[in-house]
Amino acid sequence: MLGVGPAFAASLHFISASASFASASSPNLNVNFKEASLGDTVTINYTASADATATYACINGGNNHPQAANKATVNGPVSSSGAFSSGKNGSITASLTLTPPSAGSFSCPNGQRLVLADVSYTNVAITDTTNNVSRSIAGTFSKTLFNFWTGRTVPERPRSAAAAALPSVQRQGRPTTGGARAVAGRTEGRLAPEGPGSA
């Protein structure tokens, strides 16, 4: 591996560093960065790091969370490392991916499946470990992946056009008559008959 000369070491720096979830349904956090003034065709080692919290739960066949005890929150440091070359322009633009801490020894009884319900990352940073240069990324990056109330993964699948066209009183809010019932986060059923004197 080629080293970085003293002149370059004095001026190398991160131009940018940011973090975002890999996709709308992914618990993984991408740490994106660009470092400059590295010199031509040098290989640099990087480590992305964060403190992460993940909640795991047991879900039965009906997508319900039957017992509050069947849930575990795990905390711990997470990291990801990689080596990248600067090529001939003296800079490196790359990305490393952080993943949630594992569920460890937490497991589900027969007939239930393990789901990752939510995850959050704090104290996110990217470090050039070759030259001991770091850049912190401010903020807390959180995502809910399973909605206990609806029994669905998040984001939920779009509703059909027919369901979207229903009057709002049929699709959301609390049931106001005996003829309606709450199903998966929406209210459906027949509308209450109009009372005497209604237009």
Side-chain angles (χ1 to χ4, degrees):
M1 180 181 71
L2 297 178
V4 177
F8 289 117
S11 59
L12 59 86
H13 61 285
F14 283 101
I15 293 176
S16 63
S18 62
S20 60
F21 283 98
S23 70
S25 59
S26 174
N28 300 333
L29 189 73
N30 286 343
V31 178
N32 312 297
F33 60 91
K34 181 176 183 178
E35 189 178 22
S37 302
L38 294 167
D40 295 344
T41 319
V42 293
T43 299
I44 305 295
N45 296 309
Y46 293 93
T47 296
S49 60
D51 294 323
T53 299
T55 301
Y56 291 89
C58 295
I59 305 300
N60 63 23
N63 277 346
N64 296 314
H65 180 232
Q67 297 180 25
N70 284 352
K71 186 167 68 172
T73 299
V74 291
N75 306 277
V78 294
S79 63
S80 177
S81 299
F84 304 93
S85 175
S86 64
K88 294 183 178 181
N89 63 1
S91 67
I92 291 175
T93 300
S95 178
L96 291 169
T97 301
L98 298 174
T99 57
S102 72
S105 60
F106 178 71
S107 61
C108 298
N110 290 336
Q112 298 183 20
R113 61 188 175 90
L114 182 69
V115 298
L116 174 59
D118 58 64
V119 63
S120 66
Y121 300 88
T122 60
N123 301 321
V124 182
I126 181 67
T127 301
D128 168 351
T129 57
T130 299
N131 300 292
N132 197 29
V133 177
S134 294
R135 175 81 173 264
S136 296
I137 302 172
T140 297
F141 303 87
S142 302
K143 175 166 287 191
T144 298
L145 298 151
F146 187 88
N147 188 316
F148 291 113
W149 191 68
T150 64
R152 296 180 181 178
T153 55
V154 179
E156 297 179 3
R157 290 177 294 181
R159 293 177 182 171
S160 66
L166 288 172
S168 60
V169 69
Q170 290 182 280
R171 290 189 288 111
Q172 61 186 12
R174 296 182 179 177
T176 55
T177 73
R181 60 192 180 95
V183 178
R186 67 183 186 276
T187 301
E188 60 181 21
R190 64 180 183 274
L191 293 174
E194 295 179 348
S198 300

